[in-house]
Amino acid sequence: MASVARAFLAAVNLLYAAAFGGPIDGTAWSVQVRQAGFFHWGSRQETIVFHDGRAVIAGAVAQGYATPYYDARPAADGTDFTVRLDDGERDPVVWTGRIREGRIAGQVLIGRQGGRVTRYEFTGAQKSG
C-alpha cells in the first residue's frame, strides 16, 4: 500500500512540475562534481538549470541525454529534488540533492553494466543573472 501511495505522489509531483514548474523552477546552478571516495581528487564543473518543469544538465545534454522532468519537494530546511536520466541507450543516471539558502548539494548515481553503481558528490551555488 505504501508503494502505491509513493507512486501516486510521484505522479502528482511530476504533473505539477510539468504544468507549473516547481519551487526551484527558473533557477540555474553552478556545481563542482567529484567522484566519492578518498582516492578521487579531481572534479569537474557542471551547470544545472531547472526550467519549465525540466532539468537541463549541460554535461548530460552533451552526452546525448534528453532533458527530463525533475521532481522537487519542499523539505523542512529547503527543497529536495530528483532528476532521472534514463533513455534505455545509456547508463541510467540519478541526481538527488537539496537546495537551501542559495546553495545546492547532493549525489549522482550512475548505474553501470553488471549492476555496479558509481557515486559522485556535488556542491555549488546559484548562478546570478
Side-chain angles (χ1 to χ4, degrees):
M1 185 67 160
S3 61
V4 172
R6 269 182 271 162
F8 175 75
L9 289 174
V12 168
N13 284 336
L14 183 64
L15 289 173
Y16 174 80
F20 306 108
I24 57 176
D25 208 63
T27 62
W29 303 85
S30 178
V31 299
Q32 287 292 119
V33 182
R34 86 183 236 331
Q35 190 166 356
F38 183 73
F39 295 107
H40 302 285
W41 294 285
S43 66
R44 65 180 170 87
Q45 185 71 30
E46 185 64 83
T47 299
I48 306 170
V49 178
F50 298 99
H51 181 68
D52 288 339
R54 293 186 178 270
V56 179
I57 301 169
V61 170
Q63 292 176 10
Y65 286 95
T67 56
Y69 289 107
Y70 67 88
D71 178 34
R73 301 159 306 285
D77 59 347
T79 301
D80 291 341
F81 69 90
T82 303
V83 178
R84 286 179 172 70
L85 303 161
D86 190 5
D87 62 6
E89 295 178 16
R90 293 167 191 75
D91 292 335
V93 180
V94 179
W95 289 70
T96 57
R98 175 166 288 172
I99 294 173
R100 178 177 177 228
E101 298 176 2
R103 302 290 304 163
I104 187 171
Q107 68 177 357
V108 181
L109 301 176
I110 302 175
R112 305 288 186 190
Q113 291 182 346
R116 289 188 357 240
V117 174
T118 304
R119 188 169 67 93
Y120 294 83
E121 297 170 347
F122 66 89
T123 58
Q126 187 168 2
K127 287 185 159 192
S128 58

